[in-house]
Amino acid sequence: MDGQQHELALPFPELTGDQPQLPARMINEYVYCPRLAYLEWVQGEWSDSGDTVDATSPRVQ
């Protein structure tokens, strides 16, 4: 090894208008559980928990 970091030539794919941008949150979801990230992002499956219901419901002051 010569101690230098070499660049790997990987071209970035062209983005088109029909491709949704991936939210940064989904990267965290994928690291935590790839299957869960797939279900949430691709399948659109979501189950509310008590915390998410509280966060989306109107607050009573």
Side-chain angles (χ1 to χ4, degrees):
M1 295 287 252
D2 58 9
Q4 293 182 352
Q5 183 174 351
H6 299 280
E7 184 175 330
L8 180 58
L10 294 175
F12 191 79
E14 290 293 324
L15 295 177
T16 62
D18 63 340
Q19 296 172 325
Q21 293 183 352
L22 182 69
R25 178 183 64 81
M26 289 311 298
I27 297 170
N28 182 57
E29 294 289 340
Y30 183 83
V31 170
Y32 175 72
C33 178
R35 181 178 175 275
L36 180 59
Y38 176 84
L39 290 173
E40 289 181 3
W41 181 249
V42 178
Q43 298 289 330
E45 296 182 20
W46 174 264
S47 295
D48 281 315
S49 67
D51 294 328
T52 58
V53 169
D54 287 344
T56 58
S57 64
R59 302 245 182 236
V60 177
Q61 296 186 14

